[in-house]
């Protein structure tokens, strides 16, 4: 048999999983011919479209032999591959050439792969660092000097090393810049060091892998996470993080299932069920995995965590027929889907498991869904950078103007440079220092606020951004909701039980079971025959149905307590409720369920069929058989929209569902149908026939269920489950909306759930139209939906991830343009990357500030993509909180963070920035006037210590005290969120306010200098002392005029600064003539100059407050 020419196959032109189906074999006695033919055709076979594929399997009856060749009925594909290890080793290059091409990353990995194959895949490293030893300095220096501000100061500082350009002390130019750079670099280095420690910890986590050994029992070796490779067999224990994407081969549970926690991947806290590959689960022990001649095919890595296409192939040992004629070796192929795979970063919740690694490092779903953080820069910083460019142009124009007025005499270009350096205080380096110190103050105020305890500022450069948010993108689970479900209502048509009457349900249920026991002859069927059943037996039926119709598994913890696990928290809530009223689920596996009644008896039911919930079907069904009576029941629960046509006619379902939905409850309709053994047998036969079809299998199975089971069901009741909201969510969302913030909810959850939460959180106003968009497939559908939304901008859009992606792919600009005008948008089934894409698109398209808030690992990309990321420390861990710019412990803290701290930070920084610019401008205007009067000579008016003192001790404290100013008190800011809306327009710092300050500086600088020169003094030293004193006092008065609400520190800073200035005069005789300074002549001249420069501004401010008062002053 070894001489049969077999060819390794690539994926191109093959079926989805990369295998060629066996051709129509008419002669089963010639298997060799079949294989030869298949192998020969495989070289040039191309499958054109699905139609061609369907022709291959025209009639299932013709291929009985095919059904026996395929190892199990679910396998639809066969692989014609190398049969044994010897043949594999002969042609390794053939396989690798067809699989590992740059454009095709799909892979076929044999068990115990060669080192050469493993080395072709990326290493299993976690790396979140931004820098390494070589890139740190270049990147940080570039990040700093790409801002015009810093580049300008660098050039000015360097110019002081040229003797011809030297003016004053070199240290006054170099020190501030060096200080700013050192602080920034130190902070970046520390942050990256912490990231490096976290990476090292993740990479060094130890895992057990199975390795061949000569002695008995599987030999395991402990290796760090970073050393794991594709093809390794990893043994996982309870609560261990899954280190790479792996196919689940075996679990400690006999049924081959295990639960995983996926909260760091998709944000959902409920446990997910995963199923081991049946062929490997059947093996006696883990050791046999090492002897298996098998291979796993996995599709190219993609981002989608809900999709996986692959196959598991076992090459059977060669069998012999009775006549000793060798039979062909046909591999057993089992399809693999997402339920057979454990994604990296999920956690094994119970038991132990063995997995086969298929993707590592950068190819894992977790890494592919994580975006790399970019350095965030606040809008205020960018605006100040823009103003710095204007100021630079002013400086250059002023320098050139003075040289031009002098007629470009002598070495005029040197003079231009000297003037540029003289006027360099126009762009004050102290502005960066002041703003950075201001940010630190705001951060401390936020972290020390007793009303929002536990709040942490992780990015201290962004507090001002909190004052300009216009879009809030929020996660749902754990952010708006606590993800704690509780059954609140049970409605049965004639009777309704609320949360406060559940003890009545327990009482009725106990009496119903006691009654059934005493009248043991009265079976359920006979009870149902009565004309009008009593309420307790009706209640018994509905509670029993709820206790049976689910996918919940009871898990016993180490301490003996029982917890329920399921993929839906709603189901857990309902099963917990049945337990609370007396009917407890005590055991469940894939074939049997046991319940304990209120009177202590055990009810056993065999699970015959399960029809799981899907977003298309919106319902979940189960067929069970009572082990005691043999009665077969079909139980179903689902959304009212689909159940209404399945159940018998009634007059109350639609109305009650609407009532519950308005209360924000998640509704499920419960119904049942009794089946005779003949009815069930007929259904089973039809269902089996549909399940082995190769074509349209899914549709056929659904239609069989609908035809045999899903009609004329007896309506038992309606349940209402509440997803508890976070504290004060409704009030917070209303306040934010009144503050002009548009709110989007992006969730990985189902449409129905998200819609309920949107209603219960009041994200959707009462009676507001909700427009659902789901399952869009064509561009025409997308266009129609967009046209509808364009005409109805007051609605709330609810859209699923698939349709969202289609909209973004086809009509990105139109979609964002329309949806950003809507009052609310809810996007469901969003992948982490989609969330981040939406945030980026809104930022890019609207140019507005976007804030993202979330609490799980799946929200990290979105948080990093936003202008401001807020992470909530919650049940889903700290991953979001660590990646965020601001970390809070509750969603409701957002109100205080934005409306109070954000608003204050922005207003204060805007005022501070403009005042510091004014401080630099006024002294430069005085210098310009002085130079113009003194023959355009580039001579410094104030030198050495006066310049150092002016930028620091004489003005810094009063100016910096502006960071404590506030226009309204805290209560008013939270009562009137409309004040916040005013700020988002960015009027606190705009070209208009900038030019107002420019005019003020020109007027004051010119007034002080001209009056000092022309009116009073001829002696240079006296001019310096009069003008400088007038300047310092003028600045102190200007600070006082700018303050809205006085603070004790402001008063102290003004008084102390003036005191320091008076004292310092005595120590600076080279700048001040002490005899002149203490004379009355000096005092009245300074007073007149200050009055001329400051009084007009006081009167203008007074008139403006009367004629056009600020919005905040109307509230005081």
């Amino acid at each position: 048999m070894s001489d049969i020419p077999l060819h390794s196959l690539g994926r191109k032109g093959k079926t989805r999983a990369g295998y060629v189906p066996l051709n129509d074999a008419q002669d089963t006695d010639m298997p060799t011919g079949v294989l030869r033919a298949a192998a020969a055709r495989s070289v040039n076979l191309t499958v054109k479209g699905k139609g061609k594929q369907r022709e291959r399997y025209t009639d299932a009856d013709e291929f009985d032999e095919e059904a026996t060749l395929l190892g199990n009925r679910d396998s639809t594909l066969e692989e014609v591959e190398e049969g044994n290890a010897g043949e594999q080793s002969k042609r390794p290059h053939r396989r690798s050439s067809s699989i590992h091409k740059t454009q095709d990353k799909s892979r076929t990995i044999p068990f115990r792969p060669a080192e050469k194959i493993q080395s072709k895949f990326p290493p299993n490293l976690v790396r979140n660092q931004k820098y390494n030893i070589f890139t740190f300095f270049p990147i940080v220096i570039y990040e700093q000097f790409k801002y015009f501000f810093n580049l300008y100061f660098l050039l000015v500082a360097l110019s002081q090393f040229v003797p011809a350009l030297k003016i004053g002390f070199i240290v006054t130019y170099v020190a501030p810049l060096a200080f700013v750079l050192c602080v920034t670099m130190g902070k970046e280095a520390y942050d990256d060091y912490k990231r490096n420690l976290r990476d090292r910890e993740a990479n060094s986590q130890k895992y057990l892998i199975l390795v061949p050994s000569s002695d008995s029992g599987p030999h395991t070796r402990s290796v760090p996470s970073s050393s794991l490779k594709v093809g390794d067999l990893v043994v996982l224990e309870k609560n261990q993080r899954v280190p790479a994407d792996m196919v689940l081969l075996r679990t400690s549970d006999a049924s081959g299932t295990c639960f995983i926690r996926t909260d760091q991947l998709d944000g959902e806290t409920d446990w997910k069920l995963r199923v081991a590959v049946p062929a490997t689960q059947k093996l006696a022990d883990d050791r046999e995995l090492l002897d298996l001649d098998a291979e796993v095919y996995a599709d190219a890595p993609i981002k989608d965590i809900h999709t996986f296409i692959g196959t598991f192939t076992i090459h059977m040992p060669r069998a012999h027929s009775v006549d000793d004629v060798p039979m062909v070796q046909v591999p057993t192929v089992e399809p693999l889907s997402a339920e057979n795979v454990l994604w990296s970063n999920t956690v094994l919740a119970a038991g132990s498991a063995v997995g086969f690694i298929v993707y590592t490092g950068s190819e894992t779903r977790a890494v592919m869904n994580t975006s790399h953080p970019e350095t965030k820069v606040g809008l205020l910083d960018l605006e100040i950078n823009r103003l710095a460019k204007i100021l630079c142009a002013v400086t250059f124009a002023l320098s050139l103007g003075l040289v031009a007025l002098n007629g470009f005499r002598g070495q005029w270009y040197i003079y231009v440079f000297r003037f540029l350096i003289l006027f360099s205080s126009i762009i004050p380096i102290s502005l960066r220092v002041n703003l950075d110190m201001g940010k630190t103050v705001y951060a401390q105020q936020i972290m020390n606020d007793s009303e929002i305890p536990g709040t942490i500022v992780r990015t201290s450069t962004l507090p001002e951004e909190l004052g300009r948010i216009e879009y809030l993108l929020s996660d749902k689970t754990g952010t708006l909701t606590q993800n704690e479900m509780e059954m609140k209502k049970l409605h049965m048509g004639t009777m309704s039980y609320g949360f406060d009457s559940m003890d009545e349900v327990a009482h009725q249920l106990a009496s119903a079971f006691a009654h059934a026991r005493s009248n043991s002859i009265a079976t359920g069927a006979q009870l149902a025959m009565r004309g009008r059943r009593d309420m307790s037996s009706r209640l018994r039926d509905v509670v029993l149905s709820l206790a049976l119709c689910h996918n919940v598994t009871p898990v016993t913890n180490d301490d003996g307590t029982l917890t329920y696990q399921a993929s839906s928290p709603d189901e857990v809530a309902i099963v917990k409720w049945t337990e609370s009223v007396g009917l407890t689920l005590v055991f469940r596996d894939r074939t049997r369920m046991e319940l304990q009644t209120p009177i202590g008896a055990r009810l056993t039911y065999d699970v015959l069929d399960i029809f799981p919930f899907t977003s298309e079907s919106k319902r979940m069904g189960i067929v069970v058989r009572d082990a005691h009576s043999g009665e077969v029941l079909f139980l179903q629960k689902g959304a009212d929209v689909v159940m209404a046509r399945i159940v018998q006619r009634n007059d109350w379902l639609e109305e009650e569902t609407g009532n519950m939905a308005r209360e924000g409850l998640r509704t499920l309709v419960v119904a049942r149908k009794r089946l005779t053994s003949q009815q069930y047998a007929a259904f089973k036969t039809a269902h089996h026939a549909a399940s082995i079809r190769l074509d349209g299998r899914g549709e056929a199975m659904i239609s069989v269920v609908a035809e045999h089971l899903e009609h004329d069901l007896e309506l038992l009741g309606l349940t209402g489950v509440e997803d508890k909201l976070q504290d004060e969510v409704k009030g917070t969302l209303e306040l934010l909306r009144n503050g002009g913030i548009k709110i989007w909810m992006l969730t990985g959850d189902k449409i129905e759930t998200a819609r309920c939460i949107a209603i219960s959180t009041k994200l959707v106003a009462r009676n507001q139209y909700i427009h659902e968009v789901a399952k869009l497939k064509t561009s025409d559908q997308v266009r129609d939906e967009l046209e509808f939304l364009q005409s109805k901008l007051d609605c709330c859009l609810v859209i699923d991830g698939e349709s969202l992606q289609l909209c973004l792919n086809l009509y990105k600009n139109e979609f964002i343009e329309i949806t950003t005008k809507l009052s609310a948008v809810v996007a469901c089934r969003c992948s982490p990357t989609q969330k981040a894409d939406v945030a980026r698109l809104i930022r890019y398209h609207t140019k507005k500030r976007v804030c993202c808030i979330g609490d799980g690992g799946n929200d990290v990309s979105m948080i990093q993509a936003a202008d401001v990321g807020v992470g909530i420390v919650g049940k889903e861990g700290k991953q979001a909180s660590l990646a965020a710019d601001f970390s809070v412990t509750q969603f409701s803290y957002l109100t205080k963070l934005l409306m109070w701290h954000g608003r204050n930070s922005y207003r204060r920084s805007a005022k501070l920035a403009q005042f510091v610019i004014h401080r630099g401008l006024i002294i430069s205007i005085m210098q310009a006037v002085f130079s113009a009067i003194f023959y355009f000579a580039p001579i410094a008016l104030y030198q050495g210590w006066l310049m150092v003192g002016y930028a620091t001790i004489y003005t810094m404290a009063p100016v910096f005290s502006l960071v404590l100013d506030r226009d309204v008190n805290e209560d008013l800011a939270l009562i009137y969120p409309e004040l916040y809306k005013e700020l988002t327009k960015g009027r606190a710092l705009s070209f208009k306010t900038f030019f107002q300050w420019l005019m003020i500086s020109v007027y004051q600088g010119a007034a002080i200098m001209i009056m000092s020169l022309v009116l009073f003094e001829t002696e240079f030293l006296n001019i310096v002392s009069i003008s400088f004193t007038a300047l310092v006092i003028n600045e102190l008065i200007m600070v006082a005029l700018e303050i809205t609400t006085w603070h004790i520190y402001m008063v102290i800073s003004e008084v102390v600064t003036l005191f320091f200035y008076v004292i310092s005069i005595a120590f600076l005789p080279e700048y001040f003539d002490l005899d002149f300074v203490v004379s009355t002549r000096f005092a009245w001249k300074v007073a007149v100059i200050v009055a001329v420069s400051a009084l007009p501004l006081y009167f203008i401010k007074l008139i403006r407050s009367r004629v056009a008062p600020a919005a905040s002053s109307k509230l005081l």
Side-chain angles (χ1 to χ4, degrees), residues 814-974:
E814 295 86 339
F815 176 75
I816 289 290
E817 192 171 337
I818 293 167
T819 50
T820 47
K821 292 176 188 167
L822 299 175
S823 63
V825 178
V826 178
C828 316
R829 289 285 179 220
C830 279
S831 69
T833 321
Q834 270 180 325
K835 290 182 177 185
D837 289 344
V838 169
R840 283 192 199 95
L841 278 169
I842 296 174
R843 278 177 66 188
Y844 176 77
H845 185 84
T846 63
K847 301 288 186 282
K848 306 283 191 215
R849 300 285 97 181
V850 175
C851 173
C852 291
I853 181 166
D855 70 320
N858 65 314
D859 302 315
V860 169
S861 295
M862 168 176 83
I863 284 169
Q864 289 174 342
D867 293 298
V868 178
V870 181
I872 295 180
V873 182
K875 290 181 180 174
E876 299 183 18
K878 287 191 171 184
Q879 205 169 340
S881 154
L882 291 169
D885 306 306
F886 298 88
S887 166
V888 294
T889 53
Q890 260 179 276
F891 182 80
S892 58
Y893 290 175
L894 214 53
T895 314
K896 187 94 185 279
L897 203 60
L898 301 186
M899 301 291 149
W900 175 246
H901 291 293
R903 184 173 181 277
N904 283 344
S905 300
Y906 172 54
R907 284 189 72 262
R908 290 163 175 175
S909 279
K911 193 180 275 190
L912 179 66
Q914 291 174 125
F915 205 96
V916 174
I917 289 171
H918 154 75
R919 190 177 70 184
L921 266 170
I922 190 170
I923 201 166
S924 297
I925 297 294
M926 289 170 72
Q927 174 70 55
V929 171
F930 173 78
S931 293
I933 289 171
F934 286 93
Y935 314 108
F936 307 103
I939 300 165
L941 169 60
Y942 307 124
Q943 289 183 343
W945 290 112
L946 286 188
M947 284 302 288
V948 175
Y950 179 71
T952 55
I953 198 167
Y954 299 151
T955 57
M956 192 163 178
V959 171
F960 188 67
S961 71
L962 288 172
V963 301
L964 300 170
D965 189 25
R966 56 186 171 85
D967 57 343
V968 293
N969 65 30
E970 196 176 309
D971 296 336
L972 281 175
L974 298 178

Side-chain angles (χ1 to χ4, degrees), residues 617-661:
S617 70
K618 297 184 181 176
R619 57 191 183 272
M620 182 259 165
I622 189 167
V623 180
V624 294
R625 181 171 55 221
D626 187 334
H628 176 64
S629 66
E631 184 182 34
V632 178
L633 295 173
F634 170 58
L635 307 170
Q636 193 162 40
K637 67 171 191 272
D640 57 295
V641 284
V642 291
M643 293 298 288
R645 62 174 184 269
I646 293 172
V647 298
Q648 294 164 349
R649 275 198 75 249
N650 62 83
D651 55 2
W652 60 271
L653 182 61
E654 189 178 347
E655 183 187 348
E656 286 305 326
T657 309
N659 291 342
M660 282 196 195

Side-chain angles (χ1 to χ4, degrees), residues 511-539:
S511 65
F513 275 107
H515 180 70
R517 193 172 190 182
S518 60
N519 297 358
S520 55
I521 49 154
T523 62
Q526 287 166 319
L527 278 169
M529 291 300 197
R530 294 182 189 174
R532 184 177 177 81
R533 289 181 296 159
D534 63 321
M535 184 52 67
S536 61
S537 76
R538 280 185 60 196
L539 196 57

Side-chain angles (χ1 to χ4, degrees), residues 379-400:
L379 186 59
L380 188 87
D381 294 333
L382 296 174
E383 287 169 345
I384 288 170
N385 205 39
R386 260 202 309 274
L387 296 181
K389 290 174 185 173
I390 296 171
L391 289 172
C392 184
V394 169
T395 310
F396 192 72
L398 209 53
S399 306
L400 211 58

